[in-house]
Amino acid sequence: MTQPALPHRPASFLQAFLRSEALGGYVLMAAALVALIVANSPAAPAYFDVLGAKLGFELGPVVLKETVLHWINDGLMAVFFLLVGLEIKREVLDGQLRGVSRIVLPGVAAVGGMVMPALIYVLLNMGTPDTLRGWAIPAATDIAFALGILALLGSRVPTSLKIFLTALAILDDLGAIVIIALFYTSELQVFALAMAGALLACLFLMNRAGVLRLTPYLLVGAVLWYFVLKSGVHATLAGVALALTIPLRPRNQGKPDAHSPLHDLEHALHKPVALLIVPIFGFANAGVSFAGMGLASLAQPVPLGVALGLFLGKQLGVFGFAWLAIKSGMASLPRHSTFTQLYGVSLLCGIGFTMSLFIGALAFTDAATVDATKIGVLAGSLASAVIGFLLLRGSSAPTTQAAPDAVRQG
């Protein structure tokens, strides 16, 4: 049976995505700043007490009791990962990652941007084996923060570079998902894992059977989240698994106003995730008290490894690998851009806020090391944001280039 064509996405889809992510970046910055202020104010005890309070219920064999912080990191962030999974699937099948020629440059750069930060962290923590578990913390880019900085530069940055950064960050997220699944999974519970597998098979069968209504997928997905939570695999991966089963085929096949279930769900989730879920995560996880801390605190292996991994590792990995790909003829420089601008964007890839904090919370359990991770993430991300912004502002002039050329490629 011939599969229907994928629904055509208007050029404004990518533009709307970039605007939404940039706005989310501003809200996330504000949430992180408020968290730091609160954590260093007289309200700090109440802030940490609320995050540590337990909420939940028992209904027969179903027991769900977690702290507020765990509900945010395991529950709300599952919706964030659902959106990430939808974006990855869309970009691979119907976007900037469709086809080898489009995936080469951001793909090579993403690999470099994960390998080099991890290598720097490992080199700085070789003498403290207990902290090596945090090697993946500086490996991911925060797309909302990075696009928020690019949005401040307006037309000084070509649209092609914004597309490059978006594709790279999405591949970064994919790499982080694989890392979480492989290296940050606790002891497995066989029954719960088997139930999760059965539910995932059910979702794929629904897709193959042509079920195009979103409600059945979301209901089964909610149950899938519960069993993944109980299985020992991190619960947020249920969001990614659910995303991969959402159909990309149009609902009204053959009609000009055809709508894809995947596009509909992605559109519905963008603003709530960018403007509510991610800022709540940032507010709950960025709060760290600076009482008694000095420059010596940043020089410890964990914060130094994270900070240098983000600031140095990202720029070396992203720009270095991209430069090699371009010079070897594997890929070409993004349209209307220069190597200096590409280097500036590579600096912005060192903003690792959301995913770095998330992996840090998985890697370490003791409060002191988690706080050290936060300090490293904040320092590395801030340095990358400021220097990347200044470099791009100084090396780029406002342009009237035809941005839709780059957008139409999607």
Side-chain angles (χ1 to χ4, degrees), residues 81 84 88 97 106-115 117 136-143 164-180 310 314 318 346 348-352 355-356 359:
F81 275 84
V84 169
I88 290 171
L97 303 179
V108 169
V111 170
M114 287 184 280
V115 170
I137 295 171
T141 296
D142 192 302
I143 185 173
F164 165 76
L165 176 60
T166 302
L168 186 152
I170 288 173
L171 288 169
D172 247 6
D173 285 343
L174 178 59
I177 289 166
V178 173
I179 288 170
I180 291 169
L310 287 171
K314 276 293 185 180
V318 171
S346 300
L348 294 185
C349 289
I351 305 173
M355 197 66 80
S356 294
I359 295 176

Side-chain angles (χ1 to χ4, degrees), residues 19-106:
R19 285 195 299 270
S20 175
E21 291 291 331
L23 179 58
Y26 301 147
V27 178
L28 180 56
M29 292 177 204
L33 179 60
V34 171
L36 288 172
I37 292 172
V38 171
N40 292 275
S41 75
Y47 169 78
F48 290 111
D49 285 347
V50 168
L51 292 177
K54 279 210 166 187
L55 297 175
F57 62 88
E58 291 185 32
L59 188 62
V62 178
V63 180
L64 269 178
K65 285 188 177 180
E66 303 286 347
T67 64
V68 171
L69 183 61
H70 276 96
W71 275 113
I72 292 170
N73 290 352
D74 294 352
L76 286 182
M77 287 300 283
V79 182
F80 167 79
F81 275 84
L82 169 60
L83 179 59
V84 169
L86 293 171
E87 290 172 351
I88 290 171
K89 181 173 180 177
R90 168 178 53 78
E91 290 298 334
V92 169
L93 298 180
D94 185 32
Q96 294 304 313
L97 303 179
R98 185 183 185 187
V100 176
S101 60
R102 291 182 178 181
I103 202 173
V104 169
L105 186 62

Side-chain angles (χ1 to χ4, degrees), residues 105-123:
L105 186 62
V108 169
V111 170
M114 287 184 280
V115 170
M116 293 304 293
L119 181 60
I120 288 176
Y121 181 93
V122 168
L123 289 175

Side-chain angles (χ1 to χ4, degrees), residues 222-383:
V223 183
L224 172 66
W225 173 85
Y226 171 79
F227 281 108
V228 172
L229 175 69
K230 297 299 183 181
S231 72
V233 177
H234 200 271
T236 52
L237 297 181
V240 179
L242 172 61
L244 298 181
T245 68
I246 303 296
L248 189 59
R249 295 188 299 276
R251 289 181 178 176
N252 303 311
Q253 299 173 13
K255 296 184 180 180
D257 61 343
H259 290 283
S260 159
L262 186 146
H263 289 157
D264 287 348
L265 183 57
E266 187 180 5
H267 178 75
L269 289 178
H270 256 302
K271 286 187 178 179
V273 168
L275 303 181
L276 186 63
I277 290 176
V278 172
I280 288 175
F281 171 85
F283 178 74
N285 287 271
V288 58
S289 174
F290 296 129
M293 292 186 182
L295 290 178
S297 301
L298 184 59
Q300 297 302 310
V302 170
L304 188 62
V306 173
L308 292 183
L310 287 171
F311 179 64
L312 289 181
K314 276 293 185 180
Q315 59 175 291
L316 290 175
V318 171
F319 182 76
F321 278 53
W323 184 86
L324 287 173
I326 293 168
K327 289 300 183 179
S328 67
M330 292 174 58
S332 57
L333 192 65
R335 188 178 301 180
H336 305 297
S337 68
T338 66
F339 275 110
T340 302
Q341 290 174 321
L342 180 63
Y343 179 61
V345 170
S346 300
L347 273 165
L348 294 185
C349 289
I351 305 173
F353 193 80
T354 304
M355 197 66 80
S356 294
L357 289 177
F358 186 80
I359 295 176
L362 296 179
F364 304 117
T365 55
D366 62 293
T369 311
V370 171
D371 283 350
T373 297
K374 293 178 182 179
I375 293 170
V377 171
L378 292 170
S381 297
L382 181 62

